[in-house]
Amino acid sequence: MGDLHPDLARVLISKDAIEKRVKEMAKQIRGDFKDTQRLYIVGILKGAFIFLADLTRELSELSMPHVVDFMALSSYGKSTESGAVRILMDLREPIENQHVLIVEDIVDTGHTLSYLYHILEGRKPASLHTCALVRKQRERLNVPLDYIGFDIPDVWVVGYGLDFADQFRTLPYVAELKREAYTR
Ligand code: IMP
């Protein structure tokens, strides 16, 4: 691994820790859905794409039947602030009577997940569950979160799908962005 970028304060979650936790989460999901014929996995772009790729490959290893679809959402406001949410790209298929699992990168205030949860709930899936790689301590909406990878402090994190202004997304670990990097 190369040196840490000067805008990054520290590695918060290592590549190994992520790998281990993603395997555990896949096992837990496999166990919980052992009687489910097929899971309809909804990945939220762009942030969830790396987590989703690793999680679904683990689910395949565990012979969990599933399909993957994507939604793209956008929050108004600056890149480190949460605001109103809008759908940029919707699912390709109706999800009525499907067992749906939403896969998010991060839950911060919970606005995005809460908005999405209610939209998808309205489409009458057979069941609706949620999964996020990380949850910040700031989360306050109390959204139904069934699977959480890591709880983290209220700092801006990047890597493993998470970005700052589209930068740092493909780092293999989750790192804390220095405050001065997003306040300047
Ligand atoms: P929420 O609606 O406040 O829960 O924020 C959700 C969205 O804000 C996430 O889906 C991310 O796109 C973005 N976000 C919040 N915190 C971070 C962070 O620390 N790093 C990268 N993106 C973040």
Side-chain angles (χ1 to χ4, degrees):
M1 196 195 299
D3 288 342
L4 206 60
H5 187 284
D7 284 350
L8 303 180
R10 61 183 168 132
V11 174
L12 208 60
I13 314 169
S14 71
K15 187 177 176 223
D16 287 353
I18 294 172
E19 199 178 301
K20 184 165 171 269
R21 186 71 189 117
V22 170
K23 278 192 194 336
E24 287 170 1
M25 292 173 88
K27 264 198 196 135
Q28 196 187 346
I29 292 168
R30 180 62 182 119
D32 292 351
F33 291 93
K34 62 178 184 306
D35 300 323
T36 302
Q37 267 191 0
R38 189 181 78 164
L39 202 50
Y40 194 103
I41 299 182
V42 175
I44 308 306
L45 297 173
K46 299 177 190 175
F49 85 104
I50 295 181
F51 174 43
L52 181 110
D54 286 346
L55 185 72
T56 50
R57 282 179 296 177
E58 288 301 327
L59 288 173
S60 282
E61 298 268 7
L62 299 169
S63 306
M64 174 81 234
H66 66 272
V67 291
V68 175
D69 202 349
F70 292 99
M71 283 180 93
L73 303 175
S74 148
S75 300
Y76 293 108
K78 284 199 221 154
S79 45
T80 59
E81 280 171 17
S82 301
V85 183
R86 67 195 162 112
I87 297 179
L88 298 177
M89 187 187 91
D90 209 335
L91 298 172
R92 296 204 174 195
E93 307 284 336
I95 53 164
E96 193 169 351
N97 297 325
Q98 301 284 333
H99 292 279
V100 175
L101 175 67
I102 302 173
V103 177
E104 259 277 32
D105 50 356
I106 188 165
V107 177
D108 181 2
T109 61
H111 274 115
T112 309
L113 193 58
S114 163
Y115 168 85
L116 188 64
Y117 190 91
H118 291 112
I119 295 242
L120 296 189
E121 201 177 30
R123 298 182 186 180
K124 308 263 182 289
S127 67
L128 183 59
H129 290 84
T130 56
C131 171
L133 178 74
V134 286
R135 176 174 62 179
K136 278 193 199 173
Q137 272 163 11
R138 207 157 78 110
E139 194 262 315
R140 57 174 181 265
L141 283 188
N142 204 12
V143 286
L145 199 44
D146 302 293
Y147 306 97
I148 305 159
F150 301 90
D151 275 303
I152 60 161
D154 183 15
V155 292
W156 195 264
V157 286
V158 294
Y160 201 68
L162 293 154
D163 74 308
F164 171 66
D166 257 331
Q167 262 190 290
F168 305 114
R169 214 186 271 286
T170 56
L171 291 174
Y173 47 80
V174 173
E176 175 183 342
L177 188 68
K178 284 183 185 164
R179 188 163 283 275
E180 59 264 33
Y182 60 91
T183 48
R184 68 176 164 233

